[in-house]
Amino acid sequence: MGQKVLLSSKEINIILHRLACQLLENHQDFKNTVLIGLQPRGIFVAQRLYKILQEEYGVKHIDVGVLDITFYRDDFRRGDKPLEATKTKIDFLIEDKNVVLIDDVLYTGRSINAALTALQSFGRPSEVELLALIDRRFSRHLPIQPNYRGRQVDAIDGEKVKVMWKENEGEDVIYLINR
């Protein structure tokens, strides 16, 4: 099993700043826009974007939530081991809001499909956009595309994109791993 670095810490930081600027350009003051990171790994991207928008671009108020999609997935009963749900924390209204769903890797589109279903439990947004740090564009099972993408990666099915964050793995780096 070999691996190569797709993005270094510096490159990830540059991409996060670009994504923050794109969000700012499209949503201005975020009065009608909320960010929702998908558990487990999209929350790191959402938290980083939130920090950049507040500290470096002076956005005063942004609602940021966390969404667990475990039991909304179409494959949650297919595994050998029982799945463990994580937490959902959306302590604001999404009714008639612009929702930006945030995930680290867009692969088949099934997680986003599950997120859209889970989101319905919290209300009816006026618009839903998707932000993905990594877009594996040739692996889609569903017709789902990101509105904001950090980097497109042409990985074949035998390869895995692994995103590591300083908060839980000790470093910011993205690897392409051959299984």
Side-chain angles (χ1 to χ4, degrees):
M1 177 163 70
Q3 67 183 23
K4 78 174 193 176
V5 174
L6 276 178
L7 296 172
S8 68
S9 176
K10 183 177 182 179
E11 292 167 317
I12 292 169
N13 193 40
I14 290 167
I15 288 171
L16 288 172
H17 278 79
R18 178 175 46 82
L19 290 169
C21 287
Q22 290 173 348
L23 287 171
L24 193 57
E25 183 179 328
N26 290 332
H27 297 284
Q28 304 293 318
D29 57 10
F30 288 82
K31 283 186 179 159
N32 200 41
T33 300
V34 301
L35 306 178
I36 298 180
L38 300 186
Q39 286 278 26
R41 306 191 61 83
I43 63 171
F44 298 111
V45 182
Q47 289 167 348
R48 295 282 184 92
L49 289 169
Y50 171 76
K51 186 176 179 182
I52 291 168
L53 288 165
Q54 282 211 314
E55 293 177 5
E56 297 187 30
Y57 296 105
V59 179
K60 300 285 183 234
H61 179 77
I62 307 170
D63 286 320
V64 180
V66 173
L67 182 63
D68 177 62
I69 59 167
T70 303
F71 299 115
Y72 293 91
R73 294 183 59 91
D74 60 2
D75 61 352
F76 86 93
R77 293 183 186 194
R78 294 180 181 212
D80 294 335
K81 61 181 181 174
L83 293 175
E84 292 183 29
T86 52
K87 70 177 181 176
T88 290
K89 183 179 183 229
I90 299 176
D91 54 2
F92 47 83
L93 297 175
I94 67 163
E95 192 73 29
D96 296 323
K97 298 276 185 157
N98 297 320
V99 173
V100 180
L101 289 177
I102 301 172
D103 207 0
D104 63 343
V105 179
L106 175 57
Y107 183 34
T108 63
R110 293 183 184 281
S111 292
I112 304 307
N113 188 47
L116 291 168
T117 303
L119 204 56
Q120 292 175 356
S121 301
F122 295 91
R124 185 176 179 185
S126 65
E127 184 178 350
V128 178
E129 295 179 324
L130 174 60
L131 182 148
L133 183 62
I134 300 293
D135 177 11
R136 291 186 60 167
R137 65 180 174 160
F138 296 131
S139 305
R140 232 51 102 239
H141 295 179
L142 299 170
I144 292 174
Q145 299 299 322
N147 302 83
Y148 309 94
R149 89 174 33 94
R151 174 72 53 94
Q152 264 183 347
V153 175
D154 298 336
I156 58 175
D157 283 337
E159 296 174 321
K160 179 181 179 183
V161 174
K162 183 171 184 180
V163 181
M164 298 178 69
W165 295 104
K166 198 181 314 178
E167 292 86 344
N168 62 343
E169 282 106 2
E171 66 177 331
D172 291 341
V173 65
I174 301 176
Y175 292 107
L176 181 64
I177 300 172
N178 294 315
R179 296 185 224 184

